[in-house]
């Protein structure tokens, strides 16, 4: 310690030296010392350092002064409170000094100190006391009218302080407000502007009463009709506080809007600009409260966006170009009368267009009306003469396009129902936009040849947006756009960013339009692109290569023969691409794109390259061996090997295969997958040129890749082996013994399903058929079924999924070898009948019989039928379930033999009904509609006989069968379901509504359009008198909102009130049950409420734009105080809302915090059971996740109640640890191993 003190006292001594260099160096050394974390000062040293630095602020040398200011920053956190206060006192009094230099340096010092004050709970007392000191001094300084510069500095510091530490100044808010308001009337413009800034920082944290006082003051002042310069200030202040105060302005809008509207008619351009800025702030911050005023504001914007009193736009465009020259001439002569610099009207136009932009981006619901009112007006303003304003017009139009795109992608579910009618339900906005395309192109293609770079960039951005929004929209207009693109690529004065923009747009255009549209223009298009490939700037080269690659595709699209002859253009593209391909000293991106571009050339135009081809392939092989370019090279070789031109790769195959084999050992997953795809393409298309020895390096790597740790890699590897079994079976024989154990492990894995299972089934069939493997049918069968025959101990380890996987594989083997089938079936039946065989073997045998029968190969064998029926009557649950599955599968295979029998059994065997309905469900799910239609009537009648069953499980099965059966003939069966709603009992109604849930699938289906027309009738059951029917209706609504939101979007207005009604706690459904000496409360309405809240959660994801978020939040708020399950749901909703619509959440913050706080601080009673503790802990964690999501919202801690709660979390050890653990899991995504260590 003494060592540090000694060193510092040495430095302090040097600081008193008369030599300024000594003083400078000593101060610099002190600064370096203070920046070390380890330094600790004793009280005496602290005092000396502070005194010395404050003295150095008055040093004659400016550099020493600057360094002294820099030292203050690290000092704040190193010294104790009294010293910080001394610093602040001195700095504040220096600020009032008469010396300008001292004033400036002191205000810099104060800003430095403010920026360093601690925000953590431990340092809050210091921060608060320092802030109070500074604030009281600054309020005094602002009152000093005689010296403007003191006032300006004081306002500046105050803004800084309010921006960073507003929460600590709550006590001063009202005195700050009363001292800031008079400054708005200052004669000095700068004072007024800085006061507005300070008020802007004050607004987010001040109390609602103060906010109302401020807006009230502004309204009163504006109502007095002050001089224009003052009005400007007040309106500007309004715009600032609504930008900063957000939703709070909402409640004052009724009074504010008419006032601002009135001032737009004052002939003052700057005032009008501020008015529109205020409108924009209102729209962005309070879109909902602005609804009644949207029409007024739109009308004003449309009026003033064309406000250009000093310029005459000629209507006839050809004349316009000449008249502009004449006007330019006139301008020079009459320069003394009026100068363009005095013209401020562009500010009005610009602000009104920005206001429109805000309207478009916040009100998607008004999109169609914007297309009829705003769109033509914006198009007419594309001719705007002021470059900056024109850029804003483009930006606003792009916003309109983006909003259209958001809409059309939302409705994408229903859009592509079949290939023949792709635009069955095109968004109306897209239809309106399509009509405008010719006008857009007509206006823009002229601007694409203008000198102004900003304009051209705007045009390209807008056209790119258009190409993304309406695919293929520009096809007719390509001839009009090409000259503009070529001009930007060839014009000498064009900057490189402009060229890149033009190339990017051209690339988008090529991707989104058919090749035939460009073929006639190839002569004009190719030379400028080739020139860009040769450009010295790598970004241009890289973009140009992408375009060249697409142009190659245009010359000869895959599958097209005849028509366009690419021969004249091949040489040009080839020579420049080859030059880039050979170069090794170029940018990585250019290398990769040159490889890809050349790959496309070989793939599409390989027959035109003749002699050059082998040289190119050799380069590809080189690039394959290079670590930096290997992945791109692998993808390129995949592309070439699958080319329809049958490119001869024999010169590089042996070496390429050994390199590819080595890639399968690498850890890089993308490379592994790319390599497997490449090998697949090579084996499929070039098996004849591959010698068995060449495959060795690949074969040895395959067994290790078939493993459940990476299912996707396993799937691709198995697919590759299937290709080998078909193309080069002799090679596969070598590894079948090493690779099969891995395949069987996968088959028995609980993770196996979907694509991987299909791949394995194909592989086993190919393997049996290739007849090379030493493992024939019987050995494969034995390996598959062995684990199921072992003792009971192992059987428990076998997962249910693996029974189904093995059954699929057995059926696949039997269908590949039909001769073996009868023997296999006999063996399986024996297995089922034998009382000695373990349960697992019997279950598997039944499932295998079902799968074999599914192919129809067993016909209506009575023997098999008898065995299965006997098993259904078994006492063993697993065997019964497997038998019902098997019966269903058999019926799928031979419908006419089994279905009548199945229906008869369902009616006559009430005890087995549940299992037999399972079989029926299997039949309805798996049979094609055509074969089911003759039986529909009989099935339908049977199901309706059972739809009022008391057992809920059976009713749900009946409903699922009904729903899936409806697909067979939707146009007739849906209306019949609807009829049943009116006729049936509550149980029947609930079955029908559940059936509708099963007709809503997550992929496009023909039934969708019929459902859309009648789903409203089914949703009327939300008002049903029976609580169970209402619950089922909510579940169905939830399914629709999740799987196919387009069905219910239009009905939200009518459905939401009923949905919200179900979230209320109903006293009449709560009853008390006596259990011995205890009374227990039962809430019969809980399930319905839960279903309602689940619907709300789903709607957040799928139909957010159809919700009134504030009304939604009212019900979330109720849910936060409800039952455990519902609170868990609402915490999730709150976290989701915080990221989706932060503005609305901030508006309700104070009401939402209370229930969160209550949950986080609740303690469980001491004598409670373990489950109670766990439940409460889970609730607190969930609530804390919601709090963490709220704290992530910008500006949230400006709310006093939130700041207070955040502080409480930091200071309470228990809550802080929960918060930390949640942050840890979310922030770092710890793996299980690391998180285990932490505990």
């Amino acid at each position: 310690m003494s060592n540090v003190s000694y060193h510092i006292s040495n430095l302090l001594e040097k600081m008193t030296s008369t030599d300024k260099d000594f003083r400078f160096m000593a101060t610099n050394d002190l600064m370096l010392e203070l920046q070390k974390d380890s330094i600790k000062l004793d009280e005496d040293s602290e005092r000396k350092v502070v005194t010395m630095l404050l003295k150095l602020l008055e040093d004659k040398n400016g550099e020493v002064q600057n360094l002294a200011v820099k030292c203050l920053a690290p000092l704040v956190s190193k010294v104790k409170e009294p010293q910080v206060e001394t610093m602040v006192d001195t700095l504040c009094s220096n600020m009032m000094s008469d010396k300008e230099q001292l004033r400036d340096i002191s205000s810099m010092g104060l800003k430095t100190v403010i920026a360093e004050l601690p925000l953590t709970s431990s340092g809050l007392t210091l921060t608060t006391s320092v802030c109070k000191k500074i604030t009281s001094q600054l309020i005094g300084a602002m009152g000093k009218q005689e010296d403007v510069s003191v006032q300006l500095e004081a306002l500046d510091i105050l803004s800084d302080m309010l921006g960073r530490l507003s929460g600590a100044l709550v006590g001063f808010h009202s005195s700050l407000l009363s001292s800031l308001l008079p400054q708005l009337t200052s004669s000095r413009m700068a004072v007024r502007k800085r006061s507005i800034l300070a008020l802007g920082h004050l607004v987010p944290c001040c109390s609602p009463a103060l906010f109302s006082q401020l807006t009230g003051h502004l309204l009163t002042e504006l109502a007095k009709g002050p001089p224009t310069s003052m009005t400007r200030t007040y309106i500007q202040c309004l715009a600032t506080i609504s930008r900063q105060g957000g939703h709070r302005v909402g409640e004052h809008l009724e009074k504010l809007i008419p006032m601002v509207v009135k001032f737009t008619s004052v002939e003052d351009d700057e005032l009008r600009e501020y008015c529109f800025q205020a409108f924009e702030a209102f729209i962005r911050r309070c879109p909902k409260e602005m609804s009644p005023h949207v029409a007024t504001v739109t009308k004003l914007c449309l009026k003033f966006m064309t406000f250009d009193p000093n310029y005459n736009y000629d209507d006839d465009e050809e004349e316009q170009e000449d008249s502009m020259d004449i006007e330019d001439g006139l301008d020079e002569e009459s320069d003394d009368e009026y100068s363009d610099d005095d013209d401020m009207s562009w500010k009005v136009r610009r602000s009104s267009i920005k206001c429109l932009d805000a309207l478009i981006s916040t009100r998607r619901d008004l999109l169609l009306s914007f297309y009829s009112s705003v769109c033509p007006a914006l198009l007419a303003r594309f001719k705007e003469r002021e470059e900056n304003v024109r850029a804003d017009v483009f930006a606003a139009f792009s916003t309109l396009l983006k909003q259209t795109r958001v809409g059309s992608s939302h409705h994408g579910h229903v859009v592509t129902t079949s290939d023949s009618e792709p635009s069955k339900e095109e968004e109306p906005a897209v239809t309106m936009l399509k009509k405008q395309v010719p006008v857009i192109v007509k206006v823009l293609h002229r601007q694409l040849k203008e000198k102004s770079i900003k304009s051209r960039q705007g045009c390209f951005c807008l056209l790119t947006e258009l190409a993304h929004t309406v695919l293929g929209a520009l096809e007719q207009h390509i001839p009009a756009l090409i000259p503009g693109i070529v001009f930007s690529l060839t014009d000498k004065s064009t900057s490189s960013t402009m060229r890149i923009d033009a190339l990017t747009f051209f690339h988008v255009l090529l991707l989104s339009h058919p090749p035939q549209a460009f073929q006639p223009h190839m002569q004009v298009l190719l030379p400028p692109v080739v020139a860009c490939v040769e450009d010295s700037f790598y970004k241009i080269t890289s973009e140009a290569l992408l375009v060249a690659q697409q142009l190659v595709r245009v010359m000869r699209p895959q599958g097209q023969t005849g028509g366009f002859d690419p021969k004249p253009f091949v040489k040009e593209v080839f020579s420049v691409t080859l030059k880039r391909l050979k170069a090794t000293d170029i940018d990585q991106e250019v290398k990769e794109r040159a490889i890809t571009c050349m790959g496309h050339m070989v793939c599409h135009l390989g027959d035109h390259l003749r002699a050059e081809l082998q040289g190119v392939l050799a380069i590809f092989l080189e690039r394959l061996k290079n670590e930096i370019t290997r992945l791109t090279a692998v993808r390129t070789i995949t592309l070439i090997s699958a080319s329809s031109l049958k490119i001869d790769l024999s010169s590089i195959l042996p070496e390429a295969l050994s390199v590819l084999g080595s890639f399968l050992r690498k850890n890089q997953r993308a490379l592994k997958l790319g390599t497997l795809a490449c090998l697949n393409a090579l084996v499929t298309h070039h098996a004849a040129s591959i010698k068995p020895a060449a495959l060795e390096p690949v074969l040895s790597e395959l067994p290790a890749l078939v493993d459940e740790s990476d299912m996707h890699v396993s799937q691709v590897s198995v697919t590759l082996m299937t290709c080998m079994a078909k193309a080069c079976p002799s090679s596969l024989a070598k590894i079948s013994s090493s690779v099969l154990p891995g395949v069987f492990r996968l088959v028995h894995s609980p993770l196996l399903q979907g694509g991987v299972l299909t791949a394995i089934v194909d592989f086993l069939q190919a393997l049996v058929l290739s007849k090379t493997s030493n493992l024939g049918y019987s050995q494969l069968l034995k390996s598959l079924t062995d684990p199921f025959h072992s003792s009971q101990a192992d059987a428990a380890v076998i997962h249910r999924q693996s029974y189904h996987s093995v059954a699929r594989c057995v059926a696949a083997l039997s269908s590949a070898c039909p001769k073996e089938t009868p023997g296999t079936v006999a063996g399986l039946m024996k297995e089922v009948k034998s009382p000695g065989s373990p349960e697992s073997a019997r279950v598997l045998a039944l499932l295998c019989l079902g799968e074999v029968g599914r192919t129809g190969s067993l016909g209506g064998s009575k023997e098999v039928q008898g065995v299965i029926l006997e098993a259904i009557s078994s006492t063993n649950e697993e065997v019964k379930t497997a038998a019902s599955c098997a019966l269903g599968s058999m019926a799928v295979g031979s419908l006419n033999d089994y279905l009548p029998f199945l229906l008869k059994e369902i009616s006559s065997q009430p005890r087995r009904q549940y299992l037999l309905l399972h079989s029926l469900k299997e039949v309805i799910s798996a049979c094609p509609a055509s074969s089911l239609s003759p039986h529909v009537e009989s099935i339908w009648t049977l199901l309706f006989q059972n739809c009022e069953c008391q057992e809920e499980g059976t009713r749900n099965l009946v409903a699922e069968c009904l729903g899936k059966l409806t697909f067979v003939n939707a146009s007739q069966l849906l209306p019949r379901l609807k009829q049943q709603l009116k006729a049936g009992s509550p149980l029947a109604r609930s079955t029908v509504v559940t059936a509708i849930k099963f007709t809503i699938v997550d992929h496009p289906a023909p039934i969708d359009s019929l459902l859309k027309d009648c789903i409203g009738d089914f949703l009327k059951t939300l008002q049903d008198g029976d609580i169970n029917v209402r619950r089922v209706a909510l579940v169905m609504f939830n399914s629709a909102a999740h799987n196919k939101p387009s069905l219910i979007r239009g009905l939200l207005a009518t459905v939401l009130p009923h949905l919200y009604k179900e979230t209320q706690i109903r006293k009449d459904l709560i009853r008390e049950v006596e259990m011995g000496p205890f009374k227990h409360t039962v809430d019969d309405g809980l399930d319905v409420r839960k279903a309602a809240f689940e619907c709300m959660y789903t709607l957040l994801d799928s139909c957010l734009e159809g919700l009134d978020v504030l009304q939604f939040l009212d019900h979330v708020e109720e849910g936060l105080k409800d039952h455990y399950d519902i609170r868990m749901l609402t915490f999730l909703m709150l976290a989701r809302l915080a990221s989706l619509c932060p503005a609305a959440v901030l508006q309700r913050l104070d009401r939402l915090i209370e229930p969160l706080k209550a949950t986080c601080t609740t303690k469980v009673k001491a004598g409670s059971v373990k489950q109670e503790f766990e439940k409460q802990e889970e609730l607190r964690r969930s609530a804390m996740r919601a709090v963490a999501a709220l704290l992530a919202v910008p500006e949230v801690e400006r709310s006093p109640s939130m700041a207070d709660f955040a502080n409480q979390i930091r200071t309470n050890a228990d809550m802080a640890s929960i918060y930390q653990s949640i942050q840890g899991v979310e922030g770092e995504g710890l793996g299980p191993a690391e998180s285990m260590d932490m505990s």
Side-chain angles (χ1 to χ4, degrees), residues 503-563:
L503 285 166
T504 312
F505 166 63
F506 192 15
H507 187 233
V508 170
L509 200 62
L510 284 163
L511 281 175
S512 54
H513 291 79
Q516 292 70 24
F518 301 95
Q519 287 174 348
H521 310 284
M522 201 49 114
Q523 234 150 347
V524 190
L525 287 172
L526 202 58
V529 175
V530 167
C532 286
V533 175
E534 301 238 48
D535 198 277
S536 54
F537 183 38
Y538 76 95
K539 282 196 170 167
I540 293 182
T541 309
S542 139
E543 281 301 321
L545 281 165
L546 273 186
V547 174
Q549 175 185 321
Q550 289 308 319
L551 285 174
V552 166
R553 192 179 57 86
V554 166
M555 290 183 203
R556 188 197 280 166
Q558 289 258 267
Q560 183 194 322
T561 48

Side-chain angles (χ1 to χ4, degrees), residues 643-748:
S643 162
S644 54
L645 299 175
K646 304 270 183 291
I647 307 293
D648 175 21
L649 298 175
S650 49
S651 60
I652 62 163
L653 262 180
E655 203 172 341
L657 283 169
S658 81
V659 177
L660 289 169
S662 69
F663 290 167
L664 293 177
R665 274 198 301 275
K666 301 280 186 274
N667 262 342
Q668 191 187 349
R669 189 163 182 270
L671 181 65
K672 240 187 237 177
L673 287 169
T675 305
L676 286 166
C678 181
L679 288 164
N680 210 334
L682 287 170
V683 171
T684 311
H685 298 282
H686 298 273
S689 357
I690 299 177
K691 295 187 176 64
L695 272 176
E696 292 285 327
V698 176
L699 293 170
S700 56
E701 300 301 333
L702 282 176
L705 296 179
V706 181
D707 182 64
E708 66 175 23
S709 60
D710 189 333
M711 280 299 194
H712 187 49
V713 169
S714 301
Q715 181 180 340
V716 186
S717 310
V718 172
T719 311
L720 172 61
M721 294 192 303
T722 312
C723 283
M724 285 182 176
K726 290 173 183 165
C728 33
S730 56
S731 307
L732 194 67
K734 294 178 187 160
I735 61 157
S736 55
S737 53
S738 55
V739 89
L740 277 170
V743 173
F744 291 133
R745 268 198 306 278
L746 266 189
V747 175
H748 298 136

Side-chain angles (χ1 to χ4, degrees), residues 170 172-175 177 202 206-215:
V170 176
F172 278 99
H173 282 178
S174 57
S175 53
L177 185 64
L202 174 70
C206 69
S207 64
L210 271 184
F211 189 82
S212 304
Q213 187 188 331
L214 170 57
T215 32

Side-chain angles (χ1 to χ4, degrees), residues 1174-1186:
E1174 285 171 356
K1175 232 173 170 182
Q1176 187 56 39
E1177 192 54 29
E1178 198 41 56
L1179 258 183
R1180 291 175 69 188
R1181 288 182 69 80
S1182 198
M1184 200 57 92
R1185 277 193 198 96

